[in-house]
């Protein structure tokens, strides 16, 4: 947008910073904004600033919320004896979407990754141990991602929580539904075989 | 984002309205916004609203500008005898980018498209005829897109401007540079042959 109005170039420069947005996409978005009504643009701008102002992390489980503690932690209908550990705040919504899980959550705010300088102290592991130590928790389901970092974080959690006497479980790794044996990678297939259950 | 904080769902709903942005992309963008600093988000929000407030259309050529008339129309170094007609305001920047054209522009604000109810009165054709009639214009280069609507708009312009005595030219249609004869479609190849020039 070297040749366009200055405010248009500035908008394109800001949009390019968004993930997955290159120059062409940014220009297309900017032209769309120009064609939109003043009200539509104002609504988008307000939504952007409000989300930063209103959304905090729950002091209990570290998931995203506008109230503290979050709706899930406050819900007396949720099973207090069950904690599902996930990596990121948005992982909570992935599990909520299946509408089956009735326990609570604990967001680690990342995974162990020594190469990136992320050790146990950078995560909310201490807080998890504290929540479990207080008592009343019977099972911790580790739902970190099934990759190298997620697996090693799961191992670390299992070891760390060992002293508390709580049962630590890991979500099943296997063939995805609708998947094809022929196209499955070796690691997934090995996990699927190892994790077989009686029918 | 059915299960997320309300302000987050609202942002996702607004982002989905953008062209080429689906639910997954909107959620990824919203999480990125959440992770950005308050200043970054404020800059983006300001850029969005400012572009609507500041960018107008040039009363002379209808290209986008913050000042009226636009920088190109005000530039005494630009050739007043030459007008390049384009469909949309952003087409001006495509031509400016090649850094060769020294004439002025005229933005039609669309193309003739009877099926969409867009006739000559919906475009800035009257204004173009007026600009040419005032005198001093020697050539009008029609640079509408090389598709059905663009071609018929070009024909219409050529007929309409016929009475003014101005020379009406059309940008060349042919094989794109770096293109391949083998993969060119028939219409392009026919135009490339018909428009051949002496070497």
């Amino acid at each position: 947008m070297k040749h366009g109005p200055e405010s248009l170039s500035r908008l394109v420069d800001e949009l390019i910073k968004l993930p997955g947005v290159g120059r062409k996409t940014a220009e297309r978005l900017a032209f769309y904004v120009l064609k939109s009504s003043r009200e539509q643009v104002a609504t988008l701008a307000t939504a952007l600033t409000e989300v930063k102002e209103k959304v905090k992390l729950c002091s209990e489980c570290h998931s995203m919320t506008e109230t503290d503690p979050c709706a899930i932690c406050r819900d007396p209908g949720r099973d207090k004896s069950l904690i599902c550990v996930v990596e990121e705040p948005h992982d909570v919504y992935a599990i909520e979407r299946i509408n089956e899980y009735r326990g609570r959550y604990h967001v680690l705010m990342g995974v162990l990754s020594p190469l990136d300088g992320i050790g146990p102290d950078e995560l909310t592991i201490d807080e998890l141990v504290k929540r479990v130590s207080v008592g009343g928790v019977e099972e911790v389901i580790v739902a970190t991602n099934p990759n190298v970092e997620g697996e090693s974080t799961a191992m670390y959690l299992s070891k760390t929580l060992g002293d508390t006497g709580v049962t630590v479980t890991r979500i099943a790794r296997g063939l995805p539904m609708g998947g094809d044996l022929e196209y499955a990678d070796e690691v997934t297939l090995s996990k699927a075989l190892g994790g077989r259950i009686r029918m």
Side-chain angles (χ1 to χ4, degrees), chain A residues 56-95:
Chain A
K56 311 175 203 37
L57 295 180
C58 172
S59 57
E60 185 84 4
C61 71
H62 301 92
S63 72
M64 289 181 295
T65 178
E66 292 185 9
T67 56
D68 191 17
C70 72
I72 295 173
C73 283
R74 269 183 295 136
D75 187 349
R78 308 285 298 216
D79 188 350
K80 278 195 172 194
S81 69
L82 199 56
I83 291 184
C84 178
V85 177
V86 294
E87 295 181 14
E88 300 286 344
H90 58 252
D91 293 331
V92 169
Y93 308 118
I95 297 179

Side-chain angles (χ1 to χ4, degrees), chain A residues 78-154:
Chain A
R78 308 285 298 216
D79 188 350
K80 278 195 172 194
S81 69
L82 199 56
I83 291 184
C84 178
V85 177
V86 294
E87 295 181 14
E88 300 286 344
H90 58 252
D91 293 331
V92 169
Y93 308 118
I95 297 179
E96 283 297 287
R97 237 173 275 140
I98 62 173
N99 249 315
E100 260 176 33
Y101 179 69
R102 298 303 300 159
R104 303 197 169 186
Y105 292 93
H106 190 88
V107 182
L108 290 178
M109 303 306 289
V111 265
L112 292 178
S113 177
L115 285 177
D116 300 320
I118 298 176
D121 293 343
E122 272 69 47
L123 306 179
T124 61
I125 294 179
D126 276 354
E127 286 91 328
L128 175 63
V129 174
K130 242 173 256 165
R131 281 180 76 183
V132 173
S133 304
V134 166
V137 180
E138 281 160 26
E139 183 180 350
V140 170
I141 305 170
V142 183
T144 51
N145 289 325
N147 53 29
V148 177
E149 287 89 0
E151 293 294 336
S152 50
T153 306

